[in-house]
Amino acid sequence: MSSAKVAIVMGSDSDLPVMKDTAKLLESFDIQYEIVISSAHRVTDKTVEYAKSAESRGIEVIIAGAGMAAHLPGVIAAVTPLPVIGVPLKSGALDGVDALYAIVQMPSGIPVATVAINGAKNAAILAAQILSVKYPEIREKIKGYKEKLAEEVNAKDKALQELGIDGYLAQKN
Ligand code: RP5
């Protein structure tokens, strides 16, 4: 069994520039993952087999990113008992709203936890939070991440108070 706890699945390699952010953030939490391209439409059997076997391979959370008619997270959720996080990806004529609706509007009984359009980082954080129920060391990483976010905002506010609006914008640009 691999030591990966999270599976990242993408519908296409064109999703990788966004979904890489999920992988990088999981790395920063020291969470092992596997990452694959497996389209619900173009390689349906492979996708279903992959999702069905995830639990027995030790995967605990699945993150699925897809654009356009984004059925990938829903198809995966249909065949696994594992929690599935869907990432609607911005592509094509409808700018990701198509994928958002396709992923979030799951029928009763088959939920997909849906993050924002291109919300690849939030998918990683949510996966880590799900895992943190079982792994205290991951909970500590989440706490550290939130503290860092707060420090960044506080540093920005401090600079704004010191520099004023024009000075702040000048140093930012
Ligand atoms: C979806 O269609 C993929 O997830 C991707 O976001 C979109 C376009 O795929 P490509 O035509 O770029 O392979 O299935």
Side-chain angles (χ1 to χ4, degrees), residues 25-37:
L25 202 45
L26 289 175
E27 283 172 24
S28 78
F29 294 142
D30 288 328
I31 296 172
Q32 300 215 29
Y33 62 86
E34 54 189 34
I35 183 164
V36 300
I37 299 164

Side-chain angles (χ1 to χ4, degrees), residues 60-100:
E60 298 181 51
V61 182
I62 300 177
I63 298 171
M68 302 179 77
H71 299 130
L72 180 66
V75 165
I76 290 171
V79 297
T80 179
L82 300 175
V84 177
I85 301 169
V87 186
L89 294 171
K90 186 171 176 171
S91 69
L94 299 182
D95 270 349
V97 175
D98 43 1
L100 172 65

Side-chain angles (χ1 to χ4, degrees), residues 21-141:
D21 290 346
T22 301
K24 299 293 173 200
L25 202 45
L26 289 175
E27 283 172 24
S28 78
F29 294 142
D30 288 328
I31 296 172
Q32 300 215 29
Y33 62 86
E34 54 189 34
I35 183 164
V36 300
I37 299 164
S38 196
S39 163
H41 302 121
R42 294 167 176 158
V43 285
T44 308
D45 289 347
K46 176 188 169 188
T47 297
V48 169
E49 277 315 304
Y50 180 81
K52 278 185 173 174
S53 65
E55 182 192 10
S56 65
R57 287 183 292 105
I59 297 297
E60 298 181 51
V61 182
I62 300 177
I63 298 171
M68 302 179 77
H71 299 130
L72 180 66
V75 165
I76 290 171
V79 297
T80 179
L82 300 175
V84 177
I85 301 169
V87 186
L89 294 171
K90 186 171 176 171
S91 69
L94 299 182
D95 270 349
V97 175
D98 43 1
L100 172 65
Y101 285 174
I103 294 174
V104 79
Q105 286 289 71
M106 287 296 291
S108 178
I110 314 290
V112 170
T114 309
V115 296
I117 295 170
N118 280 4
K121 287 184 181 173
N122 272 1
I125 296 164
L126 184 54
Q129 288 173 320
I130 292 168
L131 292 169
S132 78
V133 172
K134 180 175 170 188
Y135 300 100
E137 65 275 21
I138 297 177
R139 172 99 32 107
E140 293 309 307
K141 303 262 186 202

